[in-house]
Amino acid sequence: AYAPGTGFFPRPTGTVKGLVLLVDFSDQAGAFSQQEISDWLNLEGYSEFGCNGSVRDFFHDMSNGIVDLQSTVSAYYRARNTKAYYEGGAGYERADELLNEVIAAADPDIDFSEYDNDGDGKTESISIVYAGPSVTWGQGLWPHSGWLGQQHDGVTVSRYQMTNMGDSLSLYVFSHETGHMLFGWPDLYGFGDYCLMGNYMDPTNPVPANDFFRADQGWIALTDITAMTNATFAASAGGTGYRYVNPARPEELFFWSNVQNTGRWGVLAGGGLLMLHYDGAIEGNNPPNPLELAVVQADGQKDLDATTWPSPGSDANDYFQAGYNAEFSSTTSPNSNWSDGSGSGLRVYA
């Protein structure tokens, strides 16, 4: 079952049924069959093109088994116009044209109410997967997520995402756009490789959502730290996340967890305590401006948040760890002060 909870973002749980509508063009045929696309999205242990599992496997592992994304894949729809036509325009207006065209064509054969997983009158997961490459950032059919708001079969066809299939199948782009669509996660520019919503890292074995997002979903345990806490904790890799909230501004907090470069995090350099700073009063991540969600880089260099797409996207010195930078407090650099410069009182040390 799919049920919303409380937190920063929507929290789907259990089986989430998604609809995937395939599209090709007179000037760009699809490179893969309907069954091959279904396997990429659903097959346990999928390994074609070097993928570390299917999209379903990725979300299952990332959520510690809490989310089971099951995608129903349609037959191909041949678009009215060429792919070259839809790639034109100044923004996404021709992608919107294709979206409306595909939904209208699917309506007689699809019961969209089956994709209202929580019974709130809105679908949660409608995806368009189109033939060919992505071309121009922010224009035409460039992969993106958005709102539709049409009424079909007694429900609102609401959130959707659009992803290209190209000539190979990988995990990052479809999963990233699903992160927007299904969980409401924002793009994390200036965040490097530390999150699915950040850099375009290894496309076949992308890093999952960061642990702040995962704890918000209830996928990992969360321990709240207060000014009265004076305790020793053993932070295990992939285990509990720790949160310290600003009592004067509850929309601001520090969050940390033990992140190691193994398994689905294998692309990362190094490991240790990864410290994050969240300030909900800042709208989005727009480097080099202050970020809504930032990695507090233990070396104090601020390499990540200086640019939209930092390269390299991770650094062993970004972590707090024994033997290198073993303390985060008001007297260290970086320090544990709040956004307004006032002391938080937080001290984390090995």
Side-chain angles (χ1 to χ4, degrees):
Y2 173 103
T6 58
F8 289 94
F9 303 101
R11 299 178 68 181
T13 59
T15 299
V16 178
K17 293 178 63 179
L19 174 64
V20 177
L21 300 169
L22 301 184
V23 183
D24 70 358
F25 313 89
S26 60
D27 60 342
Q28 183 74 69
F32 304 98
S33 69
Q34 181 181 1
Q35 185 60 55
E36 286 173 317
I37 296 293
S38 182
D39 288 348
W40 163 56
L41 296 174
N42 296 300
L43 183 63
E44 183 178 354
Y46 180 83
S47 60
E48 295 296 316
F49 306 102
C51 286
N52 182 6
S54 61
V55 170
R56 182 181 182 184
D57 288 336
F58 178 77
F59 281 96
H60 181 274
D61 294 350
M62 178 169 61
S63 69
N64 279 320
I66 291 174
V67 172
D68 183 14
L69 178 60
Q70 299 182 14
S71 299
T72 299
V73 181
S74 74
Y76 274 97
Y77 166 75
R78 173 58 58 90
R80 293 174 189 164
N81 299 296
T82 63
K83 184 172 186 289
Y85 167 81
Y86 296 105
E87 294 289 4
Y92 287 123
E93 63 265 26
R94 293 192 184 174
D96 293 342
E97 182 178 341
L98 180 63
L99 173 67
N100 290 324
E101 181 185 330
V102 172
I103 295 295
D107 191 33
D109 301 315
I110 300 292
D111 181 357
F112 285 96
S113 68
E114 293 182 8
Y115 304 97
D116 173 13
N117 290 272
D118 60 0
D120 69 347
K122 296 182 290 187
T123 63
E124 288 81 36
S125 181
I126 306 296
S127 300
I128 309 294
V129 175
Y130 64 86
S134 54
V135 177
T136 305
W137 187 87
Q139 176 183 314
L141 301 180
W142 188 262
H144 64 283
S145 176
W147 293 88
L148 184 57
Q150 294 183 8
Q151 300 296 312
H152 297 276
D153 302 313
V155 298
T156 300
V157 178
S158 180
R159 296 288 299 178
Y160 78 91
Q161 64 111 337
M162 186 174 289
T163 297
N164 70 296
M165 69 178 73
D167 57 7
S168 66
L169 298 171
S170 59
L171 299 178
Y172 174 84
V173 177
F174 189 96
S175 300
H176 174 98
E177 299 304 337
T178 298
H180 289 311
M181 173 181 67
L182 193 55
F183 304 100
W185 295 330
D187 284 316
L188 292 182
Y189 302 122
F191 202 84
D193 290 348
Y194 294 106
C195 183
L196 173 69
M197 308 311 293
N199 271 15
Y200 182 87
M201 69 290 285
D202 185 338
T204 59
N205 188 34
V207 171
N210 69 77
D211 281 348
F212 172 59
F213 286 179
R214 295 174 76 221
D216 182 71
Q217 294 293 323
W219 297 346
I220 61 172
L222 178 63
T223 295
D224 275 306
I225 306 299
T226 71
M228 303 303 294
T229 303
N230 184 10
T232 299
F233 297 94
S236 60
T240 299
Y242 299 86
R243 179 174 64 184
Y244 184 74
V245 178
N246 184 345
R249 294 180 58 243
E251 68 270 32
E252 184 180 15
L253 56 87
F254 288 106
F255 177 97
W256 63 97
S257 62
N258 185 343
V259 175
Q260 298 293 329
N261 57 341
T262 60
R264 293 198 180 275
W265 288 264
V267 70
L268 297 177
L273 286 186
L274 190 67
M275 179 70 63
L276 307 180
H277 178 220
Y278 176 80
D279 189 341
I282 301 169
E283 294 189 3
N285 278 30
N286 182 27
N289 301 302
L291 307 183
E292 183 174 9
L293 183 63
V295 177
V296 180
Q297 296 149 78
D299 60 9
Q301 296 301 305
K302 297 180 73 68
D303 298 319
L304 296 176
D305 42 336
T307 181
T308 299
W309 302 109
S311 181
S314 65
D315 182 340
N317 294 333
D318 288 341
Y319 302 89
F320 291 89
Q321 52 194 303
Y324 170 65
N325 196 339
E327 180 174 338
F328 178 61
S329 68
S330 61
T331 60
T332 60
S333 179
N335 62 55
S336 64
N337 292 345
W338 298 121
S339 293
D340 64 4
S342 63
S344 71
L346 177 63
R347 182 184 178 221
V348 180
Y349 59 97

